[in-house]
């Protein structure tokens, strides 16, 4: 039987205390026997979230701050030793037109979603090189790197940068046997997304069901665990020949030219 076995390996997941994608990634890594080092800027949330997985430890730190990134890796080195995988999941959004956004909006988003991803990847790779071991990176991008909406131009550009970084680093790290890939989730069914949707629809449930029926080729809701399952595949040796790629986890959303109802045969 083919199984993904991550036992005896340690994985650092940034933003792992999030109720969205990060929780599905932690669940999937734990289900494959991997040990979780759960980073989050919110240490209280990280401590609570770490209790949900066997043998998991919270690691506080802001990935957008160079000194805190150094501290994250210093504390991991002294308390847990070598880590074998990094999932750059922490990220924030921005819902504002590019021509109306402030410099502070742009800086905040880019500092976390782009600079943070680079700083974490850099520190992780250098600890692999220092310990002379191989390990792998999965960055969390978004469908917005491929298609986007009004008010998401800056977020879309940041996620495009994440995919560029993924491709470029995969080339630089290939000779070391280190793989670097990304996942690009579509709209993930999660508590915080549901709560956000209340601001634009009175009935999120039927709104999202209608959206799926119109704009996805697969009609089910994408959940965080779907993202986690692809992430563990990319972290595992099953993906040994895949690097520099982004796997779009969108139930077929970005391939559709028009809404599903655009052409319907006459009955
Ligand atoms: N939710 C979706 O539908 C969706 C779709 C596509 C991509 N994504 C991406 O998935 C990732 C997770 O998003 P989510 O929606 O699940 O978010 P979430 O808000 O549930 O989780 C994000 C976590 O990151 C933490 N965080 C924020 N800034 C941080 C920092 N500077 N340092 C360390 N931790 C920090 C937050 O405290 C939070 O716990 C993001 O990169 C996001 O862009 C999400």
């Amino acid at each position: 039987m083919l199984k993904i076995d991550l036992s005896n390996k340690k994985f650092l997941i940034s933003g792992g205390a999030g109720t969205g994608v990060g929780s599905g990634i932690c669940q999937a890594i734990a289900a494959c026997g991997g040990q979780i080092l759960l980073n989050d800027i919110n240490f209280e949330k990280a401590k609570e979230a770490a209790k949900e997985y066997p043998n998991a430890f919270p690691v506080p730190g802001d990935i957008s701050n160079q000194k805190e990134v150094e501290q994250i890796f210093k504390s991991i080195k002294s308390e847990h030793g070598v880590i074998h995988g990094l999932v750059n999941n922490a990220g924030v959004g921005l819902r504002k037109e590019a021509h109306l956004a402030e410099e502070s909006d742009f800086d905040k988003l880019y500092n976390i979603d782009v600079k943070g991803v680079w700083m974490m990847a850099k520190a992780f790779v250098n600890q692999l090189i220092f310990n002379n071991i191989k390990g792998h990176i999965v960055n969390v991008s978004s469908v917005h790197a491929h298609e986007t909406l009004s008010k998401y131009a800056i977020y879309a550009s940041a996620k495009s940068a994440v995919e560029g970084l993924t491709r470029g680093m995969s080339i630089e790290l290939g000779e070391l046997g280190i793989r670097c890939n990304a996942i690009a989730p579509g709209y993930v069914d999660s508590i915080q997304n549901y709560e956000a949707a209340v601001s634009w629809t009175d009935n999120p449930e039927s709104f999202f069901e209608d959206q799926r029926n119109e704009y996805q080729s697969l009609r089910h809701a994408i959940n965080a665990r779907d993202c986690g399952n692809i992430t563990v595949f990319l972290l595992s040796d099953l993906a040994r020949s895949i690097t520099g790629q982004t796997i779009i986890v969108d139930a077929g959303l970005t391939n559709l030219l028009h809404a599903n109802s655009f052409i319907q045969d006459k009955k």
Side-chain angles (χ1 to χ4, degrees):
M1 192 195 292
L2 191 62
K3 272 173 77 179
I4 293 180
D5 181 7
L6 300 180
S7 55
N8 302 318
K9 293 205 167 138
K10 294 177 185 155
F11 299 88
L12 173 61
I13 299 100
S14 71
T19 51
V21 176
S23 66
I25 291 171
C26 291
Q27 286 163 24
I29 291 176
C32 296
Q35 186 180 346
I36 292 169
L37 301 174
L38 194 152
N39 157 263
D40 209 279
I41 194 169
N42 183 329
F43 191 36
E44 287 311 309
K45 263 172 62 184
K47 278 198 284 193
E48 279 311 300
K51 289 181 192 159
E52 291 174 30
Y53 313 104
N55 209 12
F57 293 91
V59 183
D62 175 355
I63 65 152
S64 69
N65 179 309
Q66 173 69 39
K67 288 213 164 19
E68 295 201 24
V69 170
E70 281 164 18
Q71 186 53 41
I72 289 170
F73 280 85
K74 214 169 144 189
S75 71
I76 290 176
K77 187 179 171 195
S78 65
E79 289 163 37
H80 306 286
V82 172
I83 48 171
H84 308 86
L86 167 69
V87 183
N88 264 317
N89 164 72
V92 290
L94 175 68
R95 197 161 172 266
K96 215 182 243 188
E97 290 88 342
H99 67 284
L100 299 177
E102 303 293 338
E103 186 183 9
S104 56
D105 295 324
F106 186 96
D107 286 348
K108 181 179 178 212
L109 187 99
Y110 264 69
N111 281 340
I112 299 171
D113 290 16
V114 182
K115 195 175 99 176
V117 168
W118 162 66
M119 291 194 299
M120 291 288 279
K122 176 181 168 179
F124 172 66
V125 167
N126 283 319
Q127 75 98 43
L128 290 177
I129 293 170
F130 182 79
N131 290 290
N132 196 22
I133 60 162
K134 290 178 183 160
H136 309 297
I137 301 169
V138 176
N139 295 324
V140 179
S141 176
S142 163
V143 284
H144 282 274
H146 303 267
E147 296 190 336
T148 194
L149 292 166
S150 173
K151 298 189 178 164
Y152 286 89
I154 295 177
Y155 179 70
S157 71
K159 291 303 188 182
S160 301
V162 167
E163 295 192 12
L165 188 68
T166 303
R167 276 195 301 278
M169 286 191 73
S170 76
I171 294 166
E172 294 166 357
L173 300 173
E175 65 178 334
L176 301 170
I178 301 168
R179 295 184 291 102
C180 181
N181 289 294
I183 61 164
Y187 188 90
V188 176
D189 194 28
S190 63
I191 302 161
Q192 103 268 20
N193 273 354
Y194 185 91
E195 284 169 0
V198 173
S199 68
W200 71 79
T201 171
D202 292 334
N203 189 341
E205 253 147 51
S206 66
F207 173 80
F208 287 122
E209 193 181 342
D210 293 347
Q211 292 293 311
R212 291 196 296 272
N213 287 335
E214 275 293 65
Y215 300 108
Q216 290 183 189
S217 43
L218 298 168
R219 310 299 162 91
H220 63 256
I222 303 158
N223 60 37
R225 185 60 187 269
D226 295 327
C227 302
N229 290 341
I230 302 304
T231 300
V232 291
F233 164 70
L234 291 171
L235 290 170
S236 77
D237 289 342
L238 291 178
R240 65 187 282 268
S241 300
I242 301 179
T243 195
Q245 300 298 315
T246 298
I247 299 191
I248 300 178
V249 188
D250 73 345
L253 176 90
T254 50
N255 271 338
L256 274 174
L257 180 61
H258 291 293
N260 283 317
S261 60
F262 182 67
I263 298 177
Q264 285 189 341
D265 292 336
K266 287 184 196 156
K267 294 268 178 319

